[in-house]
């Protein structure tokens, strides 16, 4: 049976996450499809961390529902996660750390003295993680050489001794399982026959890579969970292609630096989370008013205020849509999967440049730190767009904000002879000169909004449908819930239900026509969102009159599971 | 190459400032300094904040970016990072620079961002019709302090020196020759050049009579490399010294950043496929 959900739980800072990453990469290198989910404490040391990886030989759309194999390093991991373990699932635990209650009989338990092996045999306490990987390798038929390769890459740079000890730890775990664990569970990975050309990366890595592919040249940012690793990735990679990264004194300075760089002709971007995004809203109005391209990524986390810094939420949609004073057109794009993180950022930078408008990109913690296997072909077709620049004739009598059919005017940049203008947040006319005349403000406001109208077609086109095009039970979600909803729809369709899901990517402008078409035969519309109030549901209601809407909201910091979506479908079906 | 005439730097937009505003003196000095330096206006960017002084870029025939309140320095940094060939002059008032934007000066200074930053300091909020600012004196009565200001003013010169500005000067809009000279030196300076340009508000806080009484030139014997001596002059309560207090030579932010880029680039541009392969 090649669909297994592993979960590893233990003390934060003791290697749970890196163990999970090693397991994930080993599986991917053995040509399995993988999909991870992780939570981690807000503390650096201590707190509880867990890492989940689902493995299969077919396309994975979600982290799965219940757990098949729980690797518990301590009592807390058992206490927190045992209830999610399937009946007759496997509990693998460090018998030096704790023992499950004697009446634990709904699972198959294997106690392994992980700490003792690590301390006494290897002489390296934290190698208990690698010992555990050796045990997993033997029990579930994960090729040992995949782990050896990864350990070699990870530890050789730390010195020969560390490397050798970790290899010994891996083999000690493997051997212990051979000699002492009597396997009675049915889980066993069968080798994959189809070779796949995939890479394994997180959403944040895919976004950073996409930005480089799209021609990003200036990145400014301020550290904030869960966006920080975008800055760290770019700090390492962007200079190699002639770009610069600066860590600013705050998020206001970050977006200010982005606008300065874009004004001067370079593609520029910043990434943040809710608190930082809040600080940027004044500058976003300036970007709209001065028509300067920029991209802001918001890796959403639980809010308001400091909220749940390391947990996921879809709570910043309203801020992205409406956060700013005045009629302030901006584009809002929601990323849906790790693969989409790459293509989506390219799209965001392209739209920003082509329409000279701020593009706000919504990701979240669930997507930011989720590792997924993505076919290499996903990274192949990259179409890069540039901003409209004035011709020499246009520069001869240059008007920065000349009225056009598209609302987009050729943009001069410093260094262009004849292109002199002052970009200003004050209202201005076509020639960029200040004007507070009533008619002018109406004309220029309409010009700035015209760009959004131009994008409506794209918004309708790039929304995706899974399942039926015009279902009776309709689902519309957004952002990182795409895969989970899609899996739920597939399962419901197997049972013969008239179900389909529409998943928009551009939320502003809203894909109104596409939504209307999708809902033509619908008897009910389910809107799942990881927030309390249903921010997307409100947005939809403002564009499309439809009743009844069944909102499915949760905001505990965790993503949906397919079961939760299916349960809602059953509920509305019964009441329908 | 033919000389660029002074008139070339003047736009045909007429300033909105009140007649007698100190900002006229700063603008006029800027024209003369640009002319003296023969700066190429196509490679010149003025960045301004909000307040009366924020209108200045439109009066210069060059590129301008009139940004949000208090944020001239981050925007200037973006411009310089995008194109280090551009000359950037940031201008703003004392409210813009020291109140709402006060958090950015330390960082532009310690980075040694290679721009000129001119604060047009009138000790008041002129555009909102006269409230106290961070440089207003204790006891000053204003719209927001009808019973007198109770907050001590900051010392802009000491402030800038403390945070590592590599060129720190004070000027007075009523002494145009000295102001032109300081702007020329500031633009020529490689690094963060800070000028506190006292520029009285004739309408809401007229200091034209008060300022000259305290004004004195930085002594000719002053060694501008002597930081401790520069502090002494800055902290002097008897005199309001005008001139260059402090100057040091330190690598600029842009030089250091571009050196990093060139080091990274010199290893050869990575192939996209190789980057991907690292994620196997």
């Amino acid at each position: 049976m090649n669909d297994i959900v592993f979960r590893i739980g233990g003390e934060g800072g003791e290697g749970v996450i890196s163990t999970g990453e090693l397991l994930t990469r080993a599986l991917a290198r053995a040509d399995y499809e993988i999909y991870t989910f992780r939570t981690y404490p807000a503390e650096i040391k201590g707190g509880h961390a867990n890492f989940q990886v689902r493995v299969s030989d077919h396309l994975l759309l979600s982290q799965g529902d219940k757990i098949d194999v729980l690797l518990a390093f301590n009592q807390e991991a058992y206490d927190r996660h045992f209830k999610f373990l399937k009946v007759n699932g496997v509990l693998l635990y460090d018998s030096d750390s704790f023992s499950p209650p004697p009446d634990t009989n709904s699972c198959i338990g294997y106690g392994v003295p992980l700490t003792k092996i690590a301390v006494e045999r290897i002489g390296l306490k934290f190698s208990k993680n690698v010992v555990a990987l050796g045990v997993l390798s033997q029990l579930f038929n994960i090729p040992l050489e995949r782990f050896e390769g990864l350990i070699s890459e990870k530890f050789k740079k730390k010195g020969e001794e560390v490397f050798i000890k970790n290899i010994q730890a891996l083999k000690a775990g493997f051997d212990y399982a051979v000699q002492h664990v009597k396997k009675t569970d049915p889980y066993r990975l069968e080798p994959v026959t189809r070779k796949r050309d995939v890479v394994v990366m997180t959403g944040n890595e895919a976004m950073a890579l996409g930005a480089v592919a799209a021609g990003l040249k200036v990145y400014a940012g301020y550290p904030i969970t869960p966006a920080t690793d975008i800055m760290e990735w770019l700090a390492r990679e962007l200079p190699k292609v002639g770009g610069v990264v600066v860590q600013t004194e705050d998020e206001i300075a970050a977006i200010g630096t982005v606008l300065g760089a874009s004004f001067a002709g370079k593609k520029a971007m910043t990434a943040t989370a809710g608190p930082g995004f809040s600080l940027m809203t004044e500058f976003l109005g300036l970007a709209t008013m001065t028509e300067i391209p920029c991209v802001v990524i918001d890796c959403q986390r639980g809010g308001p205020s400091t909220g749940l810094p390391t947990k996921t939420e879809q709570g910043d949609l309203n801020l992205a849509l409406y956060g700013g004073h005045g009629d302030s057109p901006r584009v809002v794009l929601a990323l849906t999967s790790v693969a989409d993180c790459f293509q989506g950022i390219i799209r965001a930078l392209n739209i920003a440049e082509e329409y000279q408008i701020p593009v706000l990109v919504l990701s979240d913690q669930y997507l930011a730190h989720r590792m997924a296997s993505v076919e290499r072909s996903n990274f192949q077709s990259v179409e890069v767009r540039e901003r409209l620049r004035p011709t020499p004739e246009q520069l001869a009598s240059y008007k920065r904000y000349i009225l056009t059919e598209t609302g987009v005017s050729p943009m001069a940049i410093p260094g262009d002879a004849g292109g002199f203008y002052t970009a200003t947040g004050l209202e201005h006319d076509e020639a960029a000169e200040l004007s507070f005349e009533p008619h002018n403000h109406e004309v220029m406001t309409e010009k700035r909004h015209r760009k959004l109208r131009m994008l409506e077609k794209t918004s309708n086109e790039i929304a995706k449908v899974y399942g039926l095009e015009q279902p009776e039970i309709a689902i519309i979600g957004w952002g990182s819930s795409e895969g989970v909803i899609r899996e739920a729809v597939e399962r419901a369709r197997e049972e013969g239900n008239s179900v389909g899901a529409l998943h928009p990517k551009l939320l502003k402008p809203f894909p109104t026509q596409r939504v209307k078409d999708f809902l033509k035969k619908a008897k009910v519309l389910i809107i799942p969102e990881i927030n309390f109030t249903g921010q997307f549901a409100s947005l939809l209601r403002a564009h499309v009159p439809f009743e009844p809407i069944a909102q499915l909201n949760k905001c505990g910091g965790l993503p949906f599971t397919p079961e939760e979506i299916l349960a809602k479908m059953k509920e509305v079906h019964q009441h329908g | 190459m033919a000389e660029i005439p002074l008139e070339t730097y003047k736009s045909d937009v007429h300033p909105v400032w009140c007649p007698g505003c100190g900002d006229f003196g700063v603008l006029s000095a800027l024209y003369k300094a640009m002319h003296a330096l023969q700066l190429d206006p196509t490679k010149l960017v003025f960045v301004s904040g909000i307040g009366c002084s924020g209108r200045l870029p439109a009066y210069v025939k060059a590129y301008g970016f009139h940004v949000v309140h208090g944020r001239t320095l981050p925007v200037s940094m973006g411009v310089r990072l995008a194109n280090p060939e551009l000359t950037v002059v940031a201008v703003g008032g004392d409210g813009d620079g020291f109140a709402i934007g006060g958090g950015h000066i330390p960082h532009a200074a310690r980075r040694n961002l290679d721009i000129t930053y001119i604060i047009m300091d009138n000790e008041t909020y002129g555009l909102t019709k006269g409230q106290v600012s961070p440089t207003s004196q204790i006891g000053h009565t204003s719209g927001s302090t009808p019973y007198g200001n109770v907050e001590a003013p900051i010392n802009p010169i000491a402030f800038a020196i403390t945070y590592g500005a590599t060129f720190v000067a004070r000027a007075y809009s009523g002494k145009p020759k000295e102001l032109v000279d300081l702007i020329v030196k500031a633009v020529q300076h490689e690094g963060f050049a800070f000028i506190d340009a006292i520029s009285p508000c004739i309408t809401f806080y007229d200091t034209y009579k008060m300022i000259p009484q305290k004004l004195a030139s930085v002594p000719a014997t002053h060694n501008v490399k002597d930081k401790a001596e520069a502090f002494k002059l800055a902290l002097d309560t008897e005199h309001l010294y005008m001139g260059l207090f402090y100057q040091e030579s330190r690598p600029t932010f842009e030089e250091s950043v571009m050196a990093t880029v060139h080091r990274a680039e010199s290893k050869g541009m990575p192939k996209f496929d190789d980057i991907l392969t690292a994620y196997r």
Side-chain angles (χ1 to χ4, degrees):
Chain A
M1 179 181 50
N2 276 356
D3 191 339
I4 303 179
V5 177
F6 292 92
R7 187 179 287 183
I8 306 169
E11 181 84 354
E14 288 194 358
V16 170
I17 301 296
S18 57
T19 306
E21 287 178 358
L22 282 171
L23 174 60
T24 303
R25 288 197 187 280
L27 291 165
R29 285 189 183 184
D31 293 307
Y32 294 101
E33 173 91 9
I34 58 94
Y35 191 113
T36 78
F37 168 64
R38 63 190 250 195
T39 69
Y40 44 94
E43 298 80 17
I44 295 300
K45 288 276 176 194
H48 181 76
N50 84 70
F51 191 104
Q52 180 168 319
V53 53
R54 183 179 175 194
V55 53
S56 176
D57 54 5
H58 61 77
L59 178 66
L60 289 176
L61 298 168
S62 80
Q63 72 279 14
D65 292 304
K66 290 211 145 186
I67 313 167
D68 297 294
V69 179
L70 173 61
L71 167 57
F73 281 108
N74 59 19
Q75 179 79 44
E76 188 180 3
Y78 172 84
D79 292 342
R80 279 175 179 265
H81 305 297
F82 185 74
K83 56 180 173 286
F84 300 109
L85 189 63
K86 276 183 192 161
V87 173
N88 293 328
V90 174
L91 170 68
L92 175 64
Y93 60 98
D94 185 353
S95 57
D96 297 323
S97 174
F98 76 101
S99 298
D103 59 345
T104 306
N105 49 19
S106 66
C107 72
I108 296 159
Y110 305 130
V112 177
L114 297 171
T115 304
K116 200 171 158 196
I117 295 171
V119 173
E120 291 179 9
R121 297 265 319 274
I122 312 300
L124 202 64
K125 190 186 167 212
F126 285 151
S127 70
K128 68 178 180 184
N129 297 305
V130 180
V131 175
L133 289 174
V135 176
L136 290 174
S137 169
Q138 201 282 329
L139 288 180
F140 303 106
N141 196 33
I142 308 165
L144 197 66
E145 64 271 20
R146 298 295 180 186
F147 287 114
E148 286 168 345
L150 285 159
I151 285 167
S152 156
E153 288 162 34
K154 187 178 165 83
F155 293 107
K156 263 209 169 147
K157 44 188 179 238
K158 293 185 180 173
E160 196 64 16
E161 199 198 333
V162 180
F163 160 66
I164 289 171
K165 278 188 186 300
N166 276 286
I167 291 290
Q168 286 170 347
L170 183 72
K171 291 193 167 142
F174 189 91
D175 292 344
Y176 183 92
V178 171
Q179 289 160 18
H180 303 288
V181 180
K182 189 172 176 295
K183 187 174 165 76
T184 53
D185 68 84
Y187 296 104
R188 187 185 156 81
L189 285 167
E190 299 306 327
V192 181
T193 44
R194 185 170 65 98
K195 294 290 163 206
R196 301 169 70 234
D197 191 9
V198 299
V199 297
V200 176
M201 56 175 67
T202 65
N204 276 355
E205 286 166 340
M207 278 196 277
L209 186 62
V212 171
L216 181 77
K217 283 292 175 282
V218 177
Y219 179 92
Y222 186 83
I224 187 167
T225 304
T228 312
D229 37 348
I230 298 173
M231 176 164 69
E232 291 185 343
W233 193 98
L234 288 168
R236 213 169 50 237
E237 303 298 332
L238 199 55
K240 294 178 186 168
V241 294
V244 299
V245 171
V246 54
Q247 181 182 322
T248 52
E249 54 270 30
D250 56 33
E251 285 91 347
I252 300 175
I255 180 75
T257 304
V258 164
L259 290 191
S262 184
F263 168 79
K266 293 282 164 64
K267 290 186 184 178
M269 176 180 101
T270 182
T272 185
F277 194 33
S278 304
L279 288 179
M280 294 181 182
T281 51
E282 186 190 16
F283 253 125
L284 291 174
L286 181 73
T288 294
M289 192 62 151
T290 53
E291 305 190 38
I292 292 178
C294 68
V295 170
V296 178
I297 298 166
D298 176 7
C299 293
Q300 299 166 99
R301 60 189 220 185
S305 192
T306 314
L308 306 172
T310 61
K311 304 284 190 285
T312 203
E313 197 163 286
Q314 295 182 307
D316 295 351
L317 175 60
N318 282 348
L319 180 64
L321 292 167
Y322 313 116
H325 54 279
D327 279 324
S328 184
R330 72 272 298 268
V331 174
V332 179
L333 177 79
L335 301 176
T336 63
S337 65
V338 173
D340 189 52
C341 281
F342 178 81
Q343 294 293 348
I345 287 299
I346 296 169
R347 189 191 301 281
L349 280 157
N350 282 348
I351 291 174
E353 292 293 319
E354 208 174 351
Y355 291 87
Q356 300 175 23
I357 196 167
V359 178
L360 312 183
V361 179
L362 293 172
S363 174
D364 54 38
Q365 182 273 334
Y366 172 51
L367 188 51
H369 292 152
R370 176 209 302 172
M371 292 166 84
S373 41
V374 183
E375 297 276 348
R376 209 183 260 252
S377 59
N378 179 66
F379 302 94
Q380 244 90 67
S381 61
V382 175
E383 191 196 345
V384 174
R385 307 267 178 86
E386 306 296 336
R387 67 185 71 166
L388 185 65
R389 303 269 285 115
T391 61
E393 295 75 43
Q394 287 168 326
L395 280 173
S397 55
Y398 185 57
K399 285 184 175 173
R400 167 65 184 99
Y401 301 109
I402 192 163
L403 296 172
T404 63
E405 267 178 43
T406 57
V408 179
S409 321
M411 181 173 174
I413 60 171
D416 287 349
F420 297 134
Y421 80 104
T422 291
T424 172
L426 284 166
E427 185 58 287
H428 41 260
D429 62 16
E430 285 184 271
E433 284 175 16
L434 303 193
S435 168
F436 308 136
E437 293 303 315
H439 178 66
N440 181 70
H441 185 48
E442 291 192 350
V443 168
M444 298 308 281
T445 302
E446 197 280 327
K447 170 203 196 291
R448 293 186 287 267
H449 280 85
R450 202 177 308 156
K451 302 174 190 178
L452 286 185
R453 285 213 309 281
M454 301 306 295
L455 273 162
E456 278 169 14
K457 189 162 168 277
T458 307
S459 182
N460 286 318
E461 280 170 3
I462 66 174
K464 293 199 86 159
V465 168
Y466 299 105
L468 294 179
E469 287 279 345
Q470 290 184 335
E472 288 180 13
I473 298 176
I475 305 175
I476 306 184
W478 65 281
S480 63
S481 306
E482 181 189 51
V484 176
I485 295 170
R486 191 176 160 192
E487 182 173 330
V489 167
E490 284 179 9
R491 277 153 67 173
R493 296 248 295 145
E494 280 165 17
E495 291 166 22
N497 295 302
S498 171
V499 178
L502 177 73
H503 211 79
K505 290 187 176 178
L506 278 179
L507 305 184
K508 189 184 177 86
F510 192 78
T512 308
Q513 195 52 51
R514 190 72 190 275
V515 171
K516 281 182 179 165
D517 293 345
F518 174 71
L519 291 176
K520 267 192 182 136
K521 293 177 186 159
K523 291 181 174 159
V524 61
L525 168 60
I526 298 171
I527 301 183
E529 288 182 81
I530 308 290
N531 59 42
F532 183 74
T533 52
Q535 298 183 9
F536 180 84
S538 300
L539 176 69
L540 183 135
R541 284 189 179 101
H543 287 86
V544 180
F546 184 86
E547 290 291 338
I549 290 175
Q551 286 186 210
L552 174 57
N553 295 83
K554 68 175 206 174
C555 60
L558 296 172
F560 284 115
T561 61
E563 281 293 345
E564 288 170 326
I565 311 282
L566 281 163
K568 190 73 181 175
M569 284 189 233
K570 283 199 184 92
E571 182 195 312
V572 298
H573 194 57
Q574 278 159 9
H575 292 88
Chain B
M1 227 165 74
E3 193 196 81
I4 304 171
L6 182 70
E7 294 305 309
T8 307
Y9 297 102
K10 299 180 181 175
S11 86
D12 37 19
V13 183
H14 186 74
V16 291
W17 299 321
C18 308
C21 175
D23 291 355
F24 281 107
V26 177
L27 177 61
S28 166
L30 275 166
Y31 291 144
K32 286 176 187 155
M34 288 185 282
H35 179 248
L37 289 162
Q38 287 290 295
L39 295 177
D40 177 357
T42 59
K43 290 184 177 168
L44 186 56
V45 178
F46 278 83
V47 180
S48 68
I50 299 301
C52 297
S53 56
R55 298 292 189 90
L56 188 141
Y59 311 143
V60 183
K61 208 164 181 184
Y63 282 90
F65 198 175
H66 179 200
V67 304
V68 296
H69 201 13
R71 316 297 170 199
T72 55
L73 297 178
V75 173
S76 299
M77 175 161 74
V79 172
R80 288 281 302 162
L81 286 176
N83 185 355
E85 295 201 344
L86 301 171
T87 299
V88 175
V89 178
V91 297
D94 39 301
D96 192 77
F98 298 132
I100 189 167
H104 301 301
I105 296 176
H107 304 284
R110 70 184 177 87
R111 287 182 184 118
N112 202 26
L113 186 67
D114 190 3
I115 66 164
T116 299
Y117 182 33
I118 302 173
I119 292 228
M120 291 140 93
D121 185 354
N122 59 10
E123 302 181 29
T124 190
Y125 281 75
L127 198 59
T128 48
K129 304 193 175 180
Q131 297 77 32
V132 282
S133 92
T135 53
S136 300
Q137 300 300 314
I138 290 180
H140 175 53
T141 55
S142 75
S144 59
T145 54
Y147 303 106
N149 182 24
V150 298
E151 299 176 19
I154 67 153
N155 182 324
I157 301 295
F159 183 88
I161 297 171
T162 302
Y163 285 117
T166 52
F167 179 104
V168 182
R170 182 187 281 129
Y172 175 47
S173 66
K175 295 267 187 189
K177 209 172 133 289
E178 288 83 348
L179 178 53
V180 173
D181 183 49
L182 282 174
I183 295 173
V184 167
K185 282 186 180 146
V187 174
Q188 284 173 330
H189 174 74
E190 290 178 2
F192 187 65
F194 173 91
I195 301 176
D196 184 43
I198 293 168
S199 170
C201 173
I202 197 163
T203 308
F204 294 105
Y205 190 40
D206 186 349
T207 53
Y208 277 117
K209 287 206 179 77
M210 223 151 61
I211 299 287
Q213 290 171 21
K214 289 188 77 179
L215 217 55
S217 289
V218 167
T221 53
H222 171 58
N223 175 9
V224 296
K225 289 179 182 165
D226 187 337
K227 206 175 224 182
E229 195 58 34
F231 266 118
K232 266 190 198 165
L233 294 174
L235 298 174
D236 191 309
T237 49
E238 296 281 304
H239 305 93
L240 194 60
Y241 284 111
M242 195 181 71
L244 182 56
F245 285 70
Y246 183 68
Q247 187 170 20
E248 71 168 272
S249 177
R250 185 148 64 82
T252 68
F253 180 60
E254 299 87 322
E255 272 168 10
S256 306
V257 169
M258 292 326 281
T260 305
V261 170
H262 293 145
R263 258 201 321 277
E265 273 184 319
S266 68
K267 290 175 186 160
M269 196 180 284
K271 289 201 182 78
F272 193 70
D273 259 359
D274 292 343
I275 298 179
L276 280 181
T277 301
Y279 288 93
R280 273 290 286 152

